[in-house]
Amino acid sequence: MTSITEKIRRRYDRIAPLFDKMDRMVDDKYRAELIGRVHGEVLEVGVGTGANLKFYPENVNVTAIDFSPRMLSYAQKRAKECRAKVRLVQMDVQHLQFDDNTFDFVVSTCVFCSVPDPVAGLLEIRRVLKPEGRLLMIEHMLSDHFPIAIALHLLNPLIVRITGANVNRRTMDNLRMAGFSIQDMRFIGFVDVFRLIVAAPNRSP
Ligand SMILES: C[S@@+](CC[C@H](N)C(=O)[O-])C[C@H]1O[C@@H](n2cnc3c(N)ncnc32)[C@H](O)[C@@H]1O
């Protein structure tokens, strides 16, 4: 692990006991909608304390990874109450230890704000997705509205220091750079900051 990845991982270990009280960013109705689309083999990256786990149907196999062992220890409790078969593994999304073309769906909710090299993580997701697979995301990112974007840039250093998350990531650009096409995107919640995204891996030339 690079030193920056290790630093961010330690921040999530530190906030893990408080995370569920601090984090009310995404309404459960959007999580349920996103997870309602999956079937087959599913990879959830940055599962955190397992906020999405209760929404998986029973007929899917879920592999859920996170680089923070402490966040995973909270997810472990939720996995026991889950209808689907869930396997939790400590792993860095920037270095996935799965074969190419393994998963039908990859899910990420509020993860690519803190992955140190987001394009590297997205390239890894593209590698492990089947060619017909889909990446399903709910992510917050930099607003396209100038005054909001300025505010997010100004707030970013403080928020990174406390939580490890960036509020000014250009996630739509990062997806394109990693070879994804946007199939569907809509704003949820506060202006254009939170977005529900369905992305498909481009075929290699
Ligand atoms: C803001 S939390 C979101 C947790 C959960 N997805 C949710 O919606 O509540 C971000 C999570 O991503 C994880 N994470 C960040 N960077 C990661 C990486 N490089 N590899 C794996 N997990 C990562 C953090 O440990 C943390 O659990």
Side-chain angles (χ1 to χ4, degrees):
M1 250 184 212
T2 62
S3 59
I4 178 71
T5 299
E6 180 56 21
K7 202 165 146 188
I8 302 297
R9 187 192 66 72
R10 272 194 258 111
R11 272 184 205 164
Y12 276 102
D13 272 350
R14 191 181 67 202
I15 64 171
L18 303 171
F19 186 78
D20 287 339
K21 291 195 179 65
M22 281 166 49
D23 182 61
R24 295 277 187 276
M25 289 193 295
V26 179
D27 194 304
D28 268 1
K29 73 177 177 200
Y30 298 119
R31 293 183 186 274
E33 179 190 330
L34 194 79
I35 306 298
R37 297 173 185 235
V38 305
H39 55 78
E41 291 296 324
V42 181
L43 173 66
E44 181 169 337
V45 298
V47 63
T49 57
N52 295 326
L53 295 180
K54 64 182 175 201
F55 299 113
Y56 285 102
E58 60 186 336
N59 56 344
V60 299
N61 293 321
V62 183
T63 303
I65 67 138
D66 202 290
F67 68 176
S68 156
R70 216 150 169 222
M71 294 292 270
L72 280 173
S73 72
Y74 289 88
Q76 197 78 56
K77 291 177 199 143
R78 285 187 166 143
K80 288 188 185 126
E81 292 147 22
C82 183
R83 286 171 294 163
K85 209 156 57 172
V86 179
R87 181 168 68 110
L88 294 168
V89 190
Q90 188 189 345
M91 199 181 290
D92 181 351
V93 69
Q94 300 160 119
H95 304 283
L96 292 175
Q97 292 150 41
F98 304 111
D99 291 338
D100 298 0
N101 308 331
T102 300
F103 296 100
D104 297 294
F105 289 89
V106 176
V107 170
S108 96
T109 59
C110 304
V111 176
F112 279 89
C113 52
S114 48
V115 176
D117 184 342
V119 176
L122 291 167
L123 281 166
E124 275 293 84
I125 289 175
R126 185 172 152 221
R127 180 181 68 74
V128 303
L129 260 179
K130 292 178 184 173
E132 303 307 323
R134 292 290 180 269
L135 169 58
L136 307 179
M137 308 176 101
I138 293 175
E139 295 286 346
H140 63 83
M141 61 199 72
L142 188 64
S143 172
D144 293 330
H145 299 284
F146 183 70
I148 300 171
I150 294 291
L152 292 173
H153 281 308
L154 290 173
L155 277 172
N156 198 58
L158 179 67
I159 296 179
V160 174
R161 200 178 175 85
I162 298 170
T163 68
N166 294 269
V167 288
N168 62 354
R169 285 273 165 95
R170 298 179 194 275
T171 300
M172 305 310 294
D173 293 343
N174 292 341
L175 278 164
R176 289 185 196 99
M177 271 192 273
F180 282 94
S181 297
I182 311 303
Q183 304 261 298
D184 194 13
M185 189 278 288
R186 84 172 203 270
F187 304 141
I188 56 172
F190 180 57
V191 284
D192 61 344
V193 170
F194 279 84
R195 303 183 189 194
L196 191 152
I197 301 161
V198 179
N202 296 335
R203 295 193 184 277
S204 305

